[in-house]
Amino acid sequence: MSRATNFPKLSRSLSICFLLLITIYAQAQRAKSPHHQGLKDVYKKYFPIGVAVALRNLHGDEAQLIKTQFNSITAENAMKMAAIQPKEGVFYWKDADSIISFAVKNGIKVRGHNLCWHEQTPDWIFKGADGKAVTKTVLLQRLKTHITTVVNRYKGKIYAWDVVNEAIDDNPNHFLRDSKWYQICGEDFIAKAFEYAHAADPAAKLYYNDYNTERPEKREQIYRLLKSLKDKGVPVDGVGFQAHWSLQEPDEGALRSAIERYSSLGLKIQITELDLSIYPWEISKRMKRPDESDVFTAELENRQVAKYAMIFKVFREYKNVITNVTFWNISDRYSWLNEFPVMGRKNYPLLFDRNLQPKKAYWEVINFKNK
Ligand code: XIL
């Protein structure tokens, strides 16, 4: 091939390189510019904005997005009891430690999740050597050892803990969930868990965390529990609204009533696991039905935008009691709602899409200044 035939090719490659350089430069400038602000910057005067993470999110494009947008993280699974202490006295710290180091290195706060739950709890804790249920004394001792060890390890690094998760029954005719904790200890395990956590780290803020916290019947049950803890002098600082919400609920009135009700006890509120499913709330696991569409239509997106706008408007109004807002997962690329409760049904609950690009709802959440 002659030089003459190569010249156009060369000049085309040069132009492409030039364009690429300009794009990279423009992006770098945008990243430096004060106008390029993430959620965490826009909400600086309100509350930290958090996200639930797994180890796989801590490198590559997701890590970059975390650093730009969020200033608080929660381990999605790595600090749960079954993950941390799979066998009695055998502690697995690697994943939780890596999450903590990522946070420390990047100046990000950490919420701990969680210390006592009926799920993702190892079976050994409830059983004696004979395979039978242990006594209340033994179970509380094991709970104490677990909580003391974990809270101590991350003392000063975790500023708030979900101490007890989901202890209230979904059936409004029952009060506490009929879990193994309840069967063996009665309701005492709740107060004890808070006492153990407080003794291990008196500076950490301690939360009771649950879902459907704004449905009136469940709200009243949770209120009753929190009031009884406060009356007994149990060291509880606040209530976590998991906020696994949907286009249907909560409405603005229910959200406001819940915030008012719990905060009337002098408690703080953290939004601990926020996502906005495009489907009505369900809890029992099932497979996706063949006739079920999981397309994110423009209509669904518009409803999601309106819902996100409403809830953030309310959060901002209550900034004196709301001390953190955490999303459960980073983007629609991966959400636990793709498997739960309906296996194989795609969901689109977050502010970033599969390519980690901001969705319409994102702009609605950050552009509130002139409204
Ligand atoms: C979920 C995780 O996101 C999933 O990866 C895991 O398989 C199950 O647990 N309420 C909670 C969270 O308190 O810990 C749950 O997290 C979601 C519901």
Side-chain angles (χ1 to χ4, degrees):
M1 236 188 267
S2 74
R3 274 169 176 228
T5 48
N6 262 342
F7 184 72
K9 254 193 188 169
L10 183 70
S11 86
R12 206 171 47 233
S13 314
L14 277 174
S15 327
I16 292 173
C17 279
F18 185 65
L19 272 175
L20 251 166
L21 278 174
I22 291 194
T23 318
I24 292 169
Y25 177 77
Q27 271 178 1
Q29 287 307 308
R30 208 160 356 124
K32 271 199 262 166
S33 127
H35 301 296
H36 181 85
Q37 294 191 319
L39 290 162
K40 65 174 169 47
D41 307 299
V42 175
Y43 278 88
K44 206 175 197 146
K45 292 204 185 112
Y46 293 85
F47 27 70
I49 303 276
V51 62
V53 300
L55 221 50
R56 64 173 187 282
N57 307 129
L58 303 185
H59 47 80
D61 54 358
E62 290 179 317
Q64 203 40 53
L65 188 73
I66 295 171
K67 290 188 245 172
T68 325
Q69 297 287 342
F70 302 96
N71 51 6
S72 175
I73 54 176
T74 305
E76 183 180 4
N77 289 300
M79 291 183 191
K80 292 173 183 173
M81 199 183 267
I84 292 264
Q85 198 184 172
K87 290 189 188 143
E88 184 160 22
V90 177
F91 288 84
Y92 177 79
W93 300 113
K94 203 166 143 274
D95 294 7
D97 281 1
S98 306
I99 290 173
I100 297 272
S101 340
F102 175 85
V104 170
K105 197 168 131 209
N106 293 294
I108 294 174
K109 292 159 88 85
V110 187
R111 289 196 84 254
H113 176 83
N114 59 52
L115 297 171
C116 180
W117 191 20
H118 64 284
E119 277 182 31
Q120 291 177 265
T121 299
D123 229 28
W124 66 260
I125 200 156
F126 303 113
K127 284 188 187 159
D130 57 2
K132 293 196 187 128
V134 288
T135 60
K136 177 173 172 178
T137 316
V138 171
L139 185 55
L140 287 180
Q141 184 52 52
R142 288 177 176 179
L143 180 65
K144 184 176 184 182
T145 306
H146 180 81
I147 292 182
T148 310
T149 314
V150 177
V151 174
N152 242 320
R153 184 172 183 94
Y154 300 126
K155 200 170 176 161
K157 291 185 177 149
I158 289 191
Y159 87 103
W161 271 104
D162 291 329
V163 178
V164 175
N165 202 28
E166 304 178 354
I168 297 289
D169 205 300
D170 280 324
N171 178 345
N173 301 320
H174 297 158
F175 180 42
L176 294 180
R177 183 188 295 276
D178 190 26
S179 66
K180 289 194 182 147
W181 294 107
Y182 180 70
Q183 287 164 10
I184 298 174
C185 301
E187 70 176 85
D188 286 354
F189 76 92
I190 302 174
K192 290 287 179 202
F194 280 94
E195 280 158 20
Y196 303 149
H198 185 64
D201 184 357
K205 299 291 179 205
L206 305 182
Y207 282 77
Y208 171 75
N209 192 47
D210 213 330
Y211 56 88
N212 292 344
T213 42
E214 44 304 302
R215 285 191 180 173
E217 283 171 328
K218 192 151 176 190
R219 181 192 71 209
E220 288 312 302
Q221 301 279 49
I222 296 173
Y223 176 88
R224 175 179 153 196
L225 171 67
L226 293 167
K227 182 160 187 335
S228 79
L229 294 176
K230 288 284 282 184
D231 290 346
K232 282 187 270 183
V234 174
V236 52
D237 296 291
V239 50
F241 289 20
Q242 288 189 2
H244 292 299
W245 291 336
S246 67
L247 302 180
Q248 288 74 23
E249 60 177 335
D251 62 30
E252 189 168 341
L255 178 54
R256 283 177 188 279
S257 306
I259 297 173
E260 299 274 348
R261 187 78 169 134
Y262 302 121
S263 60
S264 73
L265 289 169
L267 294 170
K268 296 291 186 201
I269 290 164
Q270 300 204 333
I271 309 298
T272 54
E273 307 183 14
L274 176 61
D275 44 25
L276 262 183
S277 168
I278 61 160
Y279 310 103
W281 194 80
E282 276 181 77
I283 188 121
S284 306
K285 283 192 190 163
R286 64 174 177 86
M287 294 298 289
K288 176 178 179 286
R289 288 188 301 265
D291 64 330
E292 215 171 348
S293 163
D294 58 3
V295 175
F296 191 39
T297 61
E299 195 248 326
L300 289 171
E301 177 153 35
N302 289 337
R303 287 170 61 196
Q304 188 181 59
V305 168
K307 198 82 181 180
Y308 263 120
M310 181 279 280
I311 63 175
F312 271 87
K313 181 187 76 180
V314 175
F315 294 165
R316 288 191 299 271
E317 246 180 72
Y318 286 98
K319 67 173 184 188
N320 292 337
V321 282
I322 296 182
T323 54
N324 182 296
V325 174
T326 289
F327 288 85
W328 206 246
N329 302 130
I330 303 167
S331 75
D332 293 347
R333 179 185 291 177
Y334 167 80
S335 155
W336 75 297
L337 295 175
N338 288 331
E339 286 117 51
F340 183 85
V342 179
M343 292 275 296
R345 184 182 67 178
K346 289 196 193 79
N347 210 328
Y348 308 84
L350 297 159
L351 293 184
F352 299 93
D353 69 15
R354 262 138 224 270
N355 300 314
L356 308 190
Q357 295 306 307
K359 289 161 60 181
K360 272 194 200 162
Y362 171 87
W363 299 112
E364 199 63 31
V365 166
I366 68 164
N367 290 328
F368 57 86
K369 295 244 159 67
N370 303 319
K371 284 185 186 159

